[in-house]
Amino acid sequence: MTQSLVNRADHEGAPAGDAAFARWLASRAGDLLLSLRAEMGHRDMDALRAAGDARAHEFIVGALARYRPADAVLSEEGKDDPSRLAADRVWIVDPLDGTREFGEEGRADWAVHIGLWQRTGQQSGKLAAGAVALPAQHRVLATGAAAPPYPPLSHQAAAGGRLRLAASRTRPPAFLSALAEDLGAELVPMGSAGAKIATVIDGDVDAYVHAGGQYEWDSAAPVAVATATGLHTSRLDGSGLEYNRPNPLLADLVVCRKDLAPRLLAALARRTG
């Protein structure tokens, strides 16, 4: 199955622009994962999860080697090559974000992350392109000409109700319940970081806050898309998010509407300072 998708990609050809290429690659990897889910079923969830991680990684790194051979790659499922630190372009990818949810029948909160970091100076760089495929939702969010518009307030908040905060369903930060109480907000648990940030981009929730246990591949692609829409993205203390660092651990993250950022960051300072 993986080889047939590679052959199809070779036949179709990949878009030249980075944003379009990221969207194309995320979409193709998502197709592979949907086919794998249908082929294997959910009887052995651990085997399905392992196959999903491995086959999506194999497909993505194979396509990058073919279509972007001069670029470096940092993948959750691959061995970290320190030479990426000297590269001018690094694809930061999570072939299957939300592996737990992928293995559970009926869940749609898992994703494929394709992000591109590009050097902009002697020691700095930025996210230059990104795409988040949500295969079970049959859509892809990406940077570039087709980037999503700036989101509205969630319907609940717009109607005068409580704010909605996306939260990890398995590893929410210890302070999150108290933060939600400070803000008068409701917690909305879900899986993949990409799926959670997508709900902020869509305006289904008003913010996503995470602390502990994430790496660059968990956030690079969705942060690239969120930034392209005009949303606020930062660390919990309001400082900028940096990628392609020697240690890829990037433990905390905030994504929210810009008008909510001052209030949210102030509440975070009280709870985490």
Side-chain angles (χ1 to χ4, degrees):
M1 180 181 60
T2 303
Q3 189 59 47
S4 68
L5 278 173
V6 171
N7 289 342
R8 184 177 120 194
D10 287 349
H11 175 72
E12 292 176 353
D18 289 326
F21 176 75
R23 177 187 286 273
W24 175 87
L25 184 55
S27 177
R28 296 303 184 275
D31 289 346
L32 181 155
L33 288 166
L34 287 175
S35 295
L36 182 65
R37 238 184 173 194
E39 174 189 309
M40 294 185 65
H42 297 268
R43 184 180 299 274
D44 187 340
M45 291 189 292
D46 288 341
L48 175 61
R49 289 163 176 152
D53 281 333
R55 294 196 195 180
H57 169 76
E58 176 188 352
F59 174 71
I60 289 167
V61 298
L64 288 170
R66 176 174 179 81
Y67 294 108
R68 297 293 191 274
D71 296 349
V73 180
L74 173 63
S75 170
E76 179 180 15
E77 302 304 326
K79 184 177 179 180
D80 188 3
D81 183 350
S83 66
R84 67 178 170 81
L85 300 174
D88 290 332
R89 290 164 50 92
V90 182
W91 292 92
I92 303 175
V93 304
D94 191 340
L96 174 52
D97 186 58
T99 305
R100 178 192 298 269
E101 289 73 25
F102 174 74
E104 297 178 22
E105 188 170 6
R107 293 204 72 98
D109 49 345
W110 51 275
V112 177
H113 295 180
I114 308 293
L116 173 64
W117 175 93
Q118 187 164 305
R119 192 177 304 280
T120 57
Q122 188 65 27
Q123 295 180 324
S124 64
K126 66 177 183 179
L127 295 172
V132 177
L134 300 156
Q137 300 177 33
H138 307 290
R139 63 196 185 112
V140 182
L141 304 177
T143 60
Y150 189 78
L153 278 170
S154 64
H155 292 305
Q156 182 169 298
R162 307 174 78 187
L163 293 169
R164 288 164 54 85
L165 303 183
S168 171
R169 64 186 285 244
T170 58
R171 295 177 299 160
F175 62 81
L176 199 56
S177 292
L179 176 70
E181 185 176 344
D182 288 349
L183 295 168
E186 170 190 358
L187 296 179
V188 184
M190 62 186 77
S192 155
K196 288 191 280 286
I197 294 174
T199 62
V200 185
I201 294 169
D202 291 339
D204 291 333
V205 303
D206 300 291
Y208 169 47
V209 176
H210 185 80
Q214 284 194 350
Y215 291 83
E216 292 186 11
W217 46 76
D218 291 306
S219 66
V223 163
V225 180
T227 302
T229 71
L231 288 166
H232 169 89
T233 62
S234 73
R235 304 289 299 269
L236 295 189
D237 63 2
S239 60
L241 297 161
E242 297 184 10
Y243 292 89
N244 196 37
R245 309 301 295 173
N247 181 354
L249 179 68
L250 187 56
D252 56 82
L253 171 71
V254 176
V255 179
C256 67
R257 292 172 51 86
K258 285 191 172 179
D259 55 310
L260 178 58
R263 180 182 169 199
L264 180 55
L265 292 174
L268 281 165
R270 291 193 296 270
R271 288 295 173 182
T272 63

